[in-house]
Amino acid sequence: MRQVLIYLHGFLSSPQSVKCQATQIYFQQHHRDIEFVATQIPYYPEEAITHLRELVSKYKDCQLGYIGSSMGGFLSTNLMQDFPGRALLINPAVTPHILLKDHLGEHLHPYTQEKFTLTESHMGQLEKLTVTKMLAPENFWVLLQEKDETLDYREAVEKYQHSKLTVEPGGDHSFQGFENYLPDIVSFLFDDQ
């Protein structure tokens, strides 16, 4: 069966991010048989999930693996309910509708240089996308670092308590040393099924 890895970046990030690029290079060097897909995710939640559902539906007959960082982890959790596979989440956002309340207003995207405005209605959209009862929690592996300056890692420990958890002391929101996990990530996403 065709194997596809879908990489979902975080808020104000892009497929040009350091982690996404490192992942893509690793797959090009070691797993050319696995198709690597990364897309620029729209800024607004409803547009983002519509875009991602259209993208993932093209691969519904494939063996799917997700890598989702921060907001990408939140979106991966949502997609896994209808497009199952395995997912590796890196410091995932658990309650972005609460977290981003402090970020309402205009933003300049650092990668695309486009301006966009977050409103209360977008927080409502995020809340509606929150998965409260996860299907197959054993198909998730969550990487967390305790010194994440953006998110409280304990929220993810609680939400994904029935999943595979790796919690490291120190670190930061980018998850320092992520590249060291890539061989084991490929195994978890594609070899163990």
Short mmCIF file of all heavy atoms in Angstrom, two decimals, residues 4-45:
data_model
loop_
_atom_site.label_atom_id
_atom_site.label_comp_id
_atom_site.label_asym_id
_atom_site.label_seq_id
_atom_site.Cartn_x
_atom_site.Cartn_y
_atom_site.Cartn_z
N VAL A 4 2.01 7.60 2.86
CA VAL A 4 2.05 9.06 2.71
C VAL A 4 2.23 9.69 4.09
O VAL A 4 1.48 9.39 5.03
CB VAL A 4 0.75 9.60 2.07
CG1 VAL A 4 0.80 11.12 1.96
CG2 VAL A 4 0.54 8.98 0.70
N LEU A 5 3.21 10.56 4.20
CA LEU A 5 3.42 11.34 5.42
C LEU A 5 2.91 12.76 5.17
O LEU A 5 3.33 13.41 4.22
CB LEU A 5 4.89 11.41 5.81
CG LEU A 5 5.14 12.38 6.97
CD1 LEU A 5 4.62 11.79 8.27
CD2 LEU A 5 6.59 12.76 7.10
N ILE A 6 2.02 13.22 6.03
CA ILE A 6 1.50 14.59 5.93
C ILE A 6 2.04 15.38 7.10
O ILE A 6 1.78 15.05 8.26
CB ILE A 6 -0.04 14.59 5.90
CG1 ILE A 6 -0.51 13.84 4.64
CG2 ILE A 6 -0.58 16.02 5.92
CD1 ILE A 6 -1.97 13.61 4.55
N TYR A 7 2.80 16.41 6.80
CA TYR A 7 3.40 17.27 7.84
C TYR A 7 2.56 18.52 7.99
O TYR A 7 2.32 19.24 7.01
CB TYR A 7 4.84 17.65 7.46
CG TYR A 7 5.54 18.39 8.58
CD1 TYR A 7 6.45 17.73 9.41
CD2 TYR A 7 5.30 19.74 8.83
CE1 TYR A 7 7.07 18.40 10.46
CE2 TYR A 7 5.91 20.41 9.87
CZ TYR A 7 6.80 19.73 10.68
OH TYR A 7 7.41 20.40 11.72
N LEU A 8 2.11 18.79 9.23
CA LEU A 8 1.29 19.96 9.50
C LEU A 8 2.04 20.91 10.44
O LEU A 8 2.32 20.56 11.60
CB LEU A 8 -0.04 19.55 10.14
CG LEU A 8 -0.90 18.58 9.30
CD1 LEU A 8 -2.16 18.21 10.05
CD2 LEU A 8 -1.24 19.18 7.96
N HIS A 9 2.35 22.09 9.94
CA HIS A 9 3.11 23.07 10.71
C HIS A 9 2.22 23.78 11.72
O HIS A 9 0.99 23.65 11.71
CB HIS A 9 3.79 24.07 9.77
CG HIS A 9 2.82 24.90 8.98
ND1 HIS A 9 2.10 25.94 9.53
CD2 HIS A 9 2.47 24.85 7.67
CE1 HIS A 9 1.36 26.50 8.60
NE2 HIS A 9 1.55 25.86 7.45
N GLY A 10 2.83 24.59 12.57
CA GLY A 10 2.11 25.32 13.61
C GLY A 10 1.65 26.69 13.16
O GLY A 10 1.86 27.11 12.01
N PHE A 11 1.02 27.40 14.09
CA PHE A 11 0.53 28.76 13.87
C PHE A 11 1.72 29.68 13.56
O PHE A 11 2.77 29.61 14.20
CB PHE A 11 -0.20 29.22 15.14
CG PHE A 11 -0.74 30.61 15.07
CD1 PHE A 11 -1.74 30.94 14.17
CD2 PHE A 11 -0.27 31.61 15.92
CE1 PHE A 11 -2.26 32.23 14.11
CE2 PHE A 11 -0.78 32.90 15.88
CZ PHE A 11 -1.77 33.21 14.97
N LEU A 12 1.56 30.53 12.55
CA LEU A 12 2.61 31.45 12.09
C LEU A 12 3.87 30.72 11.62
O LEU A 12 4.98 31.25 11.68
CB LEU A 12 2.97 32.48 13.18
CG LEU A 12 1.88 33.48 13.55
CD1 LEU A 12 2.37 34.43 14.63
CD2 LEU A 12 1.40 34.27 12.34
N SER A 13 3.70 29.49 11.16
CA SER A 13 4.82 28.73 10.62
C SER A 13 4.53 28.36 9.17
O SER A 13 3.60 28.91 8.56
CB SER A 13 5.06 27.47 11.49
OG SER A 13 6.29 26.88 11.12
N SER A 14 5.31 27.45 8.62
CA SER A 14 5.14 27.11 7.21
C SER A 14 5.94 25.85 6.88
O SER A 14 6.75 25.38 7.69
CB SER A 14 5.62 28.28 6.34
OG SER A 14 6.90 28.06 5.82
N PRO A 15 5.75 25.31 5.66
CA PRO A 15 6.58 24.18 5.23
C PRO A 15 8.07 24.55 5.13
O PRO A 15 8.91 23.67 5.00
CB PRO A 15 6.02 23.82 3.85
CG PRO A 15 4.60 24.29 3.90
CD PRO A 15 4.65 25.56 4.71
N GLN A 16 8.39 25.84 5.20
CA GLN A 16 9.79 26.26 5.18
C GLN A 16 10.42 26.26 6.58
O GLN A 16 11.59 26.60 6.74
CB GLN A 16 9.93 27.67 4.58
CG GLN A 16 9.89 27.70 3.06
CD GLN A 16 8.49 27.47 2.53
OE1 GLN A 16 7.55 28.16 2.91
NE2 GLN A 16 8.35 26.50 1.65
N SER A 17 9.66 25.87 7.60
CA SER A 17 10.18 25.86 8.96
C SER A 17 11.33 24.87 9.10
O SER A 17 11.46 23.93 8.31
CB SER A 17 9.08 25.52 9.96
OG SER A 17 8.72 24.15 9.84
N VAL A 18 12.15 25.07 10.11
CA VAL A 18 13.32 24.22 10.33
C VAL A 18 12.92 22.75 10.50
O VAL A 18 13.52 21.86 9.89
CB VAL A 18 14.12 24.72 11.57
CG1 VAL A 18 15.21 23.74 11.95
CG2 VAL A 18 14.70 26.10 11.31
N LYS A 19 11.90 22.48 11.33
CA LYS A 19 11.50 21.09 11.57
C LYS A 19 10.95 20.43 10.31
O LYS A 19 11.26 19.28 10.01
CB LYS A 19 10.43 21.02 12.68
CG LYS A 19 10.98 20.94 14.07
CD LYS A 19 9.97 20.47 15.09
CE LYS A 19 8.72 21.28 15.15
NZ LYS A 19 8.85 22.58 15.80
N CYS A 20 10.11 21.16 9.60
CA CYS A 20 9.54 20.59 8.38
C CYS A 20 10.63 20.30 7.36
O CYS A 20 10.65 19.24 6.74
CB CYS A 20 8.48 21.53 7.79
SG CYS A 20 7.61 20.83 6.37
N GLN A 21 11.55 21.23 7.18
CA GLN A 21 12.64 21.04 6.23
C GLN A 21 13.54 19.87 6.64
O GLN A 21 13.93 19.05 5.80
CB GLN A 21 13.46 22.32 6.10
CG GLN A 21 12.74 23.44 5.39
CD GLN A 21 12.49 23.12 3.93
OE1 GLN A 21 13.41 22.90 3.16
NE2 GLN A 21 11.22 23.05 3.55
N ALA A 22 13.84 19.77 7.93
CA ALA A 22 14.67 18.65 8.41
C ALA A 22 13.97 17.32 8.17
O ALA A 22 14.60 16.32 7.79
CB ALA A 22 14.97 18.83 9.91
N THR A 23 12.66 17.30 8.38
CA THR A 23 11.88 16.07 8.16
C THR A 23 11.88 15.70 6.69
O THR A 23 12.09 14.54 6.32
CB THR A 23 10.44 16.26 8.68
OG1 THR A 23 10.47 16.65 10.05
CG2 THR A 23 9.64 14.97 8.55
N GLN A 24 11.65 16.69 5.84
CA GLN A 24 11.61 16.42 4.40
C GLN A 24 12.96 15.89 3.90
O GLN A 24 13.02 14.91 3.14
CB GLN A 24 11.22 17.69 3.64
CG GLN A 24 11.08 17.45 2.14
CD GLN A 24 10.45 18.64 1.44
OE1 GLN A 24 10.37 19.74 1.98
NE2 GLN A 24 10.01 18.41 0.22
N ILE A 25 14.04 16.50 4.36
CA ILE A 25 15.38 16.04 3.95
C ILE A 25 15.62 14.61 4.42
O ILE A 25 16.13 13.76 3.68
CB ILE A 25 16.46 17.00 4.48
CG1 ILE A 25 16.39 18.33 3.72
CG2 ILE A 25 17.86 16.39 4.38
CD1 ILE A 25 17.17 19.46 4.36
N TYR A 26 15.22 14.32 5.66
CA TYR A 26 15.40 12.96 6.19
C TYR A 26 14.65 11.94 5.33
O TYR A 26 15.18 10.89 4.98
CB TYR A 26 14.92 12.89 7.64
CG TYR A 26 15.05 11.52 8.23
CD1 TYR A 26 16.28 11.08 8.74
CD2 TYR A 26 13.98 10.63 8.23
CE1 TYR A 26 16.42 9.79 9.24
CE2 TYR A 26 14.12 9.34 8.74
CZ TYR A 26 15.34 8.94 9.25
OH TYR A 26 15.48 7.66 9.74
N PHE A 27 13.41 12.26 4.97
CA PHE A 27 12.63 11.32 4.15
C PHE A 27 13.23 11.18 2.75
O PHE A 27 13.25 10.08 2.20
CB PHE A 27 11.15 11.76 4.10
CG PHE A 27 10.36 11.22 5.25
CD1 PHE A 27 10.46 11.80 6.51
CD2 PHE A 27 9.53 10.12 5.11
CE1 PHE A 27 9.75 11.30 7.58
CE2 PHE A 27 8.81 9.61 6.18
CZ PHE A 27 8.92 10.20 7.42
N GLN A 28 13.74 12.28 2.20
CA GLN A 28 14.37 12.20 0.87
C GLN A 28 15.61 11.31 0.92
O GLN A 28 15.89 10.57 -0.02
CB GLN A 28 14.75 13.59 0.38
CG GLN A 28 13.57 14.42 -0.09
CD GLN A 28 13.95 15.87 -0.38
OE1 GLN A 28 15.01 16.35 0.01
NE2 GLN A 28 13.06 16.58 -1.05
N GLN A 29 16.34 11.38 2.02
CA GLN A 29 17.59 10.62 2.12
C GLN A 29 17.37 9.16 2.51
O GLN A 29 18.14 8.29 2.09
CB GLN A 29 18.51 11.28 3.15
CG GLN A 29 19.05 12.62 2.68
CD GLN A 29 19.88 13.34 3.75
OE1 GLN A 29 19.84 12.98 4.93
NE2 GLN A 29 20.62 14.34 3.34
N HIS A 30 16.34 8.88 3.31
CA HIS A 30 16.21 7.54 3.89
C HIS A 30 14.92 6.81 3.54
O HIS A 30 14.86 5.58 3.72
CB HIS A 30 16.32 7.62 5.42
CG HIS A 30 17.60 8.23 5.89
ND1 HIS A 30 18.80 7.56 5.88
CD2 HIS A 30 17.86 9.47 6.37
CE1 HIS A 30 19.75 8.36 6.35
NE2 HIS A 30 19.21 9.52 6.65
N HIS A 31 13.89 7.52 3.07
CA HIS A 31 12.59 6.87 2.84
C HIS A 31 11.91 7.44 1.60
O HIS A 31 10.80 7.94 1.66
CB HIS A 31 11.69 7.04 4.07
CG HIS A 31 12.22 6.35 5.28
ND1 HIS A 31 12.11 4.99 5.46
CD2 HIS A 31 12.90 6.83 6.35
CE1 HIS A 31 12.70 4.66 6.61
NE2 HIS A 31 13.18 5.76 7.16
N ARG A 32 12.58 7.32 0.48
CA ARG A 32 12.02 7.84 -0.77
C ARG A 32 10.72 7.13 -1.16
O ARG A 32 9.93 7.64 -1.95
CB ARG A 32 13.03 7.71 -1.91
CG ARG A 32 14.18 8.69 -1.80
CD ARG A 32 15.08 8.60 -3.03
NE ARG A 32 16.00 9.71 -3.09
CZ ARG A 32 15.73 10.89 -3.60
NH1 ARG A 32 14.54 11.14 -4.10
NH2 ARG A 32 16.64 11.84 -3.62
N ASP A 33 10.51 5.94 -0.57
CA ASP A 33 9.30 5.18 -0.87
C ASP A 33 8.06 5.78 -0.20
O ASP A 33 6.93 5.45 -0.57
CB ASP A 33 9.46 3.72 -0.41
CG ASP A 33 9.89 3.63 1.05
OD1 ASP A 33 10.76 4.42 1.47
OD2 ASP A 33 9.35 2.76 1.77
N ILE A 34 8.26 6.64 0.79
CA ILE A 34 7.15 7.28 1.49
C ILE A 34 6.97 8.69 0.91
O ILE A 34 7.90 9.49 0.90
CB ILE A 34 7.40 7.36 3.01
CG1 ILE A 34 7.56 5.95 3.59
CG2 ILE A 34 6.26 8.10 3.71
CD1 ILE A 34 8.00 5.92 5.05
N GLU A 35 5.77 8.98 0.43
CA GLU A 35 5.50 10.30 -0.15
C GLU A 35 5.40 11.34 0.95
O GLU A 35 4.67 11.15 1.93
CB GLU A 35 4.19 10.24 -0.95
CG GLU A 35 3.91 11.50 -1.73
CD GLU A 35 2.69 11.37 -2.65
OE1 GLU A 35 2.27 10.23 -2.93
OE2 GLU A 35 2.18 12.41 -3.05
N PHE A 36 6.12 12.43 0.81
CA PHE A 36 6.13 13.50 1.82
C PHE A 36 5.26 14.65 1.31
O PHE A 36 5.46 15.15 0.21
CB PHE A 36 7.56 13.99 2.04
CG PHE A 36 7.67 15.06 3.09
CD1 PHE A 36 7.87 14.73 4.42
CD2 PHE A 36 7.57 16.40 2.75
CE1 PHE A 36 7.97 15.72 5.40
CE2 PHE A 36 7.67 17.39 3.71
CZ PHE A 36 7.87 17.05 5.04
N VAL A 37 4.28 15.06 2.12
CA VAL A 37 3.36 16.13 1.74
C VAL A 37 3.37 17.19 2.83
O VAL A 37 3.15 16.88 4.01
CB VAL A 37 1.92 15.59 1.56
CG1 VAL A 37 0.96 16.72 1.22
CG2 VAL A 37 1.88 14.50 0.50
N ALA A 38 3.63 18.44 2.45
CA ALA A 38 3.53 19.58 3.38
C ALA A 38 2.87 20.72 2.62
O ALA A 38 3.17 20.94 1.44
CB ALA A 38 4.91 19.98 3.89
N THR A 39 1.97 21.40 3.27
CA THR A 39 1.22 22.47 2.62
C THR A 39 1.19 23.69 3.52
O THR A 39 1.29 23.56 4.75
CB THR A 39 -0.22 21.99 2.31
OG1 THR A 39 -0.94 23.02 1.63
CG2 THR A 39 -0.99 21.63 3.59
N GLN A 40 1.06 24.86 2.92
CA GLN A 40 0.87 26.07 3.71
C GLN A 40 -0.58 26.06 4.20
O GLN A 40 -1.51 26.10 3.40
CB GLN A 40 1.15 27.33 2.89
CG GLN A 40 1.03 28.63 3.68
CD GLN A 40 2.10 28.76 4.76
OE1 GLN A 40 3.29 28.59 4.49
NE2 GLN A 40 1.68 29.06 5.98
N ILE A 41 -0.76 25.99 5.50
CA ILE A 41 -2.10 25.91 6.09
C ILE A 41 -2.68 27.31 6.20
O ILE A 41 -2.02 28.22 6.70
CB ILE A 41 -2.03 25.23 7.48
CG1 ILE A 41 -1.43 23.81 7.33
CG2 ILE A 41 -3.41 25.16 8.11
CD1 ILE A 41 -1.11 23.14 8.66
N PRO A 42 -3.93 27.50 5.74
CA PRO A 42 -4.56 28.82 5.86
C PRO A 42 -4.62 29.29 7.31
O PRO A 42 -4.62 28.49 8.24
CB PRO A 42 -5.98 28.58 5.30
CG PRO A 42 -5.81 27.43 4.35
CD PRO A 42 -4.77 26.55 4.99
N TYR A 43 -4.69 30.61 7.50
CA TYR A 43 -4.63 31.21 8.83
C TYR A 43 -5.90 30.98 9.65
O TYR A 43 -5.84 30.86 10.87
CB TYR A 43 -4.42 32.73 8.73
CG TYR A 43 -3.40 33.13 7.70
CD1 TYR A 43 -3.73 33.95 6.63
CD2 TYR A 43 -2.08 32.67 7.79
CE1 TYR A 43 -2.79 34.31 5.69
CE2 TYR A 43 -1.14 33.03 6.84
CZ TYR A 43 -1.50 33.84 5.80
OH TYR A 43 -0.56 34.19 4.87
N TYR A 44 -7.04 30.93 8.97
CA TYR A 44 -8.32 30.87 9.69
C TYR A 44 -8.78 29.43 9.84
O TYR A 44 -8.68 28.63 8.89
CB TYR A 44 -9.36 31.71 8.95
CG TYR A 44 -8.92 33.15 8.77
CD1 TYR A 44 -8.80 33.72 7.51
CD2 TYR A 44 -8.62 33.94 9.88
CE1 TYR A 44 -8.39 35.04 7.36
CE2 TYR A 44 -8.20 35.26 9.75
CZ TYR A 44 -8.09 35.81 8.48
OH TYR A 44 -7.67 37.10 8.34
N PRO A 45 -9.30 29.06 11.02
CA PRO A 45 -9.58 27.66 11.32
C PRO A 45 -10.49 26.93 10.32
O PRO A 45 -10.16 25.82 9.89
CB PRO A 45 -10.23 27.72 12.71
CG PRO A 45 -9.71 28.98 13.31
CD PRO A 45 -9.53 29.93 12.18
#
